[in-house]
Amino acid sequence: MTQHRRYSGLKAGALAVPTIAALLLTGCSASTGSNASSGSSKEFSLSFATSNTIESPFQVLAEKYIEANPDVKITFNPQPNDSYDQTLRTQLQAGNASDVVVTSPGAGTGRSILPLAEAGFLEPLDDAAKELLPEGSASTFGTDGKVYGQATEITVAALVSNETAAQAAGGFPADFSSLQEQCKTLESSGKSLFALAGSAPPNTGLMAMSLAASRVYAEDPKWNDKRAAKETTFAGSDGWKSALEAVNTLKDAGCFQKGAAGGGFDAITKGLAGGTSVSGFIPAPSWKQLESAAGGAKFAVRAFPAESSSKSYVFASANYAFSINAASKNKDAAKAFLDWAAEPEQTKAFAEIDGALPVTGLDKYDFEGGAYKNVGDLIKDGKYGPLPNIQWPNSAVYDALATGVQGIITGQKSPDQVLQAMDAAWGQ
């Protein structure tokens, strides 16, 4: 079993994970600059999204490249995550974007590879990038046999759990029924099983997809293909109905922290790091940053408890990529960096820096004893797939889900209304 097993049939679509990088993509300030300053093959610039003061894994990797190549100069251009997409596209259109930019597979966001490549903003990459493509994912990284992004890691999107807090609460619930009982017990003690950024659509959307993992995609990993072929709809899917009805179940059982509907990402970081919440719907690499901030608490990655253990399922995707600006004046230097980053030693190092899974060698990965021990068997047994919205045709479908779930939490929308809105958005 390799990391490629469940990636067949991917289509262009939007990614959720990059939009919730307040807990995943981190970075420190750096000087600004553009590719216009020099044509030297030993110099290039790098843009990436940041959200707080912890150093970005993209910058850490680039600094390691400088250590190995002291004659190379890299200008770092970190951008706030909430404006990264717009800034990147504006700079590409103006011709002053960085030589190397961090992008995402698919077509649903401003940083997504397919629309940027179609607009002529990205440079086709070589075989080193092609060799890192998870099986079946080529259509999200380019067209006509060309690849415009180099995958950096495999990101699991599930639950990150404060294992110390879970142990104090009697252990993590094994199924959805015991989950509801534990929610009520934790609520009575002023705590919660989940920390939710209810005011942040990316987080509510990821929660909904996590609920759909066992209800929709464990039952039918090809469900998105059927939706694309008009063989089913969101509103006509019992699994999707069950997933969104479960949002109300979680709310009624007291599974979220008080004030969750108005909570931001700080509610997740504070709740999990402080142990007042046991887990959160956030990208798996966040375990590392949370553990470093939690004063001794241990964190791990878990699948959302399914109705039964036999239906457990988790999402894992290659969600980030390095791309080269087609207008770059330093393409040789940029390509040299990407070739170096594609080496197994560097793909392993990047995953370790970020707390993710490596984009290569996952079939030999040692899950035991680490943060991914609870999802190791699922991955080895092929009970995983890419984030659903990678396969959706546009970002409007995910937006309808994420904002719709906000409405469910506040009582302003029903699950059926949200599913109908998702179907309407599919054809936009």
Side-chain angles (χ1 to χ4, degrees):
M1 168 63 206
T2 72
Q3 76 268 35
H4 305 323
R5 178 171 175 175
R6 290 283 183 177
Y7 285 84
S8 60
L10 292 185
K11 294 183 178 64
L15 290 175
V17 172
T19 64
I20 47 181
L23 294 165
L24 177 60
L25 287 183
T26 58
C28 61
S29 62
S31 61
T32 60
S34 74
N35 56 43
S37 62
S38 172
S40 169
S41 62
K42 298 294 184 181
E43 179 177 355
F44 67 93
S45 51
L46 170 64
S47 283
F48 47 88
T50 65
S51 296
N52 54 44
T53 58
I54 304 175
E55 195 169 38
S56 163
F58 299 107
Q59 181 164 335
V60 173
L61 185 70
E63 288 172 344
K64 289 183 178 296
Y65 182 65
I66 294 173
E67 291 177 7
N69 302 273
D71 57 340
V72 170
K73 177 183 177 182
I74 303 176
T75 299
F76 297 111
N77 295 324
Q79 303 292 332
N81 183 67
D82 57 1
S83 61
Y84 179 78
D85 290 13
Q86 180 179 353
T87 299
L88 175 61
R89 194 167 187 95
T90 298
Q91 291 178 341
L92 287 168
Q93 289 172 336
N96 60 1
S98 293
D99 302 298
V100 179
V101 296
V102 173
T103 56
S104 297
T109 71
R111 74 186 77 177
S112 293
I113 290 170
L114 295 181
L116 294 178
E118 184 178 358
F121 293 140
L122 303 182
E123 181 79 2
L125 303 181
D126 57 20
D127 290 343
K130 291 181 179 180
E131 290 173 1
L132 293 183
L133 289 176
E135 183 178 328
S137 69
S139 63
T140 66
F141 282 81
T143 57
D144 299 326
K146 295 181 180 179
V147 172
Y148 295 89
Q150 180 170 297
T152 59
E153 66 182 19
I154 298 294
T155 300
V156 176
L159 291 172
V160 173
S161 170
N162 182 326
E163 294 294 288
T164 304
Q167 185 176 6
F172 202 82
D175 54 39
F176 194 67
S177 178
S178 58
L179 175 154
Q180 296 174 64
E181 294 303 316
Q182 191 170 51
C183 284
K184 296 173 183 177
T185 300
L186 284 166
E187 184 186 33
S188 67
S189 64
K191 298 183 178 181
S192 68
L193 183 59
F194 302 118
L196 181 71
S199 68
N203 196 234
T204 55
L206 184 59
M207 175 184 67
M209 290 195 297
S210 297
L211 291 167
S214 61
R215 292 168 168 81
V216 179
Y217 297 95
E219 297 283 346
D220 187 0
K222 299 292 186 181
W223 189 91
N224 281 347
D225 291 340
K226 294 178 180 178
R227 179 62 186 86
K230 299 181 180 181
E231 296 174 5
T232 187
T233 62
F234 289 104
S237 165
D238 290 339
W240 270 105
K241 287 181 181 180
S242 175
L244 294 197
E245 288 169 355
V247 175
N248 275 325
T249 301
L250 296 179
K251 181 181 69 172
D252 294 342
C255 294
F256 308 130
Q257 82 279 13
K258 290 184 178 180
F265 286 115
D266 60 331
I268 300 178
T269 55
K270 291 177 181 178
L272 267 61
T276 56
S277 294
V278 174
S279 60
F281 301 90
I282 52 179
S286 302
W287 74 266
K288 189 170 185 178
Q289 288 89 351
L290 287 166
E291 192 165 279
S292 67
K298 295 296 182 181
F299 284 77
V301 180
R302 290 183 175 274
F304 185 88
E307 296 86 337
S308 66
S309 58
S310 63
K311 293 184 178 182
S312 292
Y313 195 82
V314 72
F315 297 127
S317 307
N319 292 340
Y320 302 104
F322 286 121
S323 294
I324 296 178
N325 178 2
S328 169
K329 296 180 181 179
N330 301 303
K331 291 179 183 177
D332 288 345
K335 289 178 179 178
F337 169 66
L338 264 62
D339 287 345
W340 175 86
E343 296 172 0
E345 182 178 353
Q346 273 60 255
T347 60
K348 180 180 179 181
F350 186 88
E352 291 176 349
I353 292 166
D354 201 32
L357 293 174
V359 73
T360 59
L362 196 55
D363 53 330
K364 300 177 182 178
Y365 188 83
D366 182 10
F367 289 96
E368 296 300 322
Y372 292 90
K373 60 183 179 181
N374 298 307
V375 298
D377 286 343
L378 293 177
I379 292 175
K380 287 187 290 186
D381 292 343
K383 295 181 178 180
Y384 76 100
L387 275 170
N389 59 333
I390 290 178
Q391 299 176 322
W392 296 348
N394 58 64
S395 61
V397 182
Y398 182 75
D399 291 342
L401 173 63
T403 58
V405 170
Q406 287 180 307
I408 293 175
I409 293 172
T410 59
Q412 296 173 306
K413 290 187 178 181
S414 69
D416 284 341
Q417 287 175 319
V418 177
L419 295 171
Q420 290 167 10
M422 293 172 69
D423 282 322
W426 187 277
Q428 290 184 9

